[in-house]
């Protein structure tokens, strides 16, 4: 009889559980898409478009002088440089217009006109959707084409 009392006492010890925890534990876990990552927030270019992140000059010179936004904008008057983040499925597929193949690919630094493309604000800046024919040139390093102060 003493064995039965000790067993029954063990069963009576309350265990704290959240209201939906049992249901959650029973459901099969699905791999969740990480929607908080910056990459998931970016739009997917369609057709012949490219998603480009514009290059922003450093806000401080090598000597430690802060550069104002006006000065940075004046140095980027005629054209802008940017990093190709994504390429649409039809970009550079027209063999008549691009007989030598694509002008750029994901990860390339490109130069485009200042007002080219559609601008979209994101956390920390903006991205642009450009048509594949709005790329003017490619560069190895965007800091090489902007004059530092």
């Amino acid at each position: 009889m003493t064995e039965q009392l000790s067993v029954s006492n063990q069963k009576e010890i309350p265990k704290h559980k959240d209201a939906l925890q049992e249901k959650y534990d029973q459901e099969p876990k699905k791999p969740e898409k990480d929607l908080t990552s910056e990459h998931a927030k970016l739009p997917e270019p369609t057709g012949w478009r490219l998603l480009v992140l514009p290059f922003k000059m450093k806000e401080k010179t090598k000597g430690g002088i802060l550069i104002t936004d006006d000065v940075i904008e004046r140095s980027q008057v005629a054209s802008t440089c940017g990093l190709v983040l994504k390429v649409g499925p039809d970009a550079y597929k027209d063999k008549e217009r691009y007989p030598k193949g694509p002008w750029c690919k994901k990860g390339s630094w490109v130069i485009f006109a200042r007002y080219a493309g559609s601008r979209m604000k994101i956390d920390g800046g903006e991205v642009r959707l450009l048509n594949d024919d709005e790329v003017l040139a490619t560069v190895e390093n965007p800091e090489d084409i902007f004059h530092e102060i």
Side-chain angles (χ1 to χ4, degrees):
M1 246 170 122
T2 55
E3 290 177 28
Q4 289 180 347
L5 288 175
S6 63
V7 171
S8 65
N9 286 344
Q10 288 177 355
K11 289 182 181 178
E12 292 176 14
I13 298 173
K15 293 183 179 178
H16 176 52
K17 283 196 172 187
D18 293 333
L20 298 174
Q21 186 66 37
E22 289 177 358
K23 182 179 178 183
Y24 177 77
D25 288 339
Q26 292 172 356
E27 290 181 6
K29 296 191 179 188
K30 302 172 191 170
E32 293 184 22
K33 189 175 180 181
D34 185 14
L35 297 177
T36 59
S37 72
E38 295 301 316
H39 186 70
K41 294 178 185 177
L42 295 175
E44 196 67 37
T46 59
W48 57 87
R49 293 173 185 84
L50 309 169
L51 184 68
V52 177
L53 178 67
F55 173 73
K56 187 167 183 177
M57 288 180 54
K58 294 178 184 174
E59 296 175 354
K60 194 184 277 191
T61 65
K62 292 177 185 176
I65 299 171
L66 293 175
I67 304 171
T68 65
D69 290 337
D70 292 341
V71 174
I72 291 172
E73 193 156 325
R74 271 185 275 157
S75 69
Q76 298 172 320
V77 170
S79 61
T80 305
C81 189
L83 178 67
V84 178
L85 298 176
K86 296 181 181 182
V87 179
D90 297 328
Y92 301 113
K93 298 287 186 203
D94 186 357
K95 298 297 180 195
E96 288 181 25
R97 294 179 76 185
Y98 310 107
K100 295 182 181 181
W103 294 345
C104 62
K105 60 184 178 185
K106 180 180 175 181
S108 298
W109 286 101
V110 295
I111 298 175
F112 51 92
R114 182 176 184 184
Y115 297 108
S118 298
R119 298 175 183 211
M120 287 171 280
K121 296 286 183 188
I122 60 167
D123 290 339
E126 74 173 26
V127 291
R128 291 201 194 183
L129 277 172
L130 301 174
N131 293 336
D132 58 1
D133 61 350
E134 291 180 308
V135 173
L136 303 175
T138 59
V139 293
E140 289 294 318
N141 184 358
E143 292 179 343
D144 293 343
I145 61 168
F146 294 111
H147 301 290
E148 283 202 38
I149 299 167

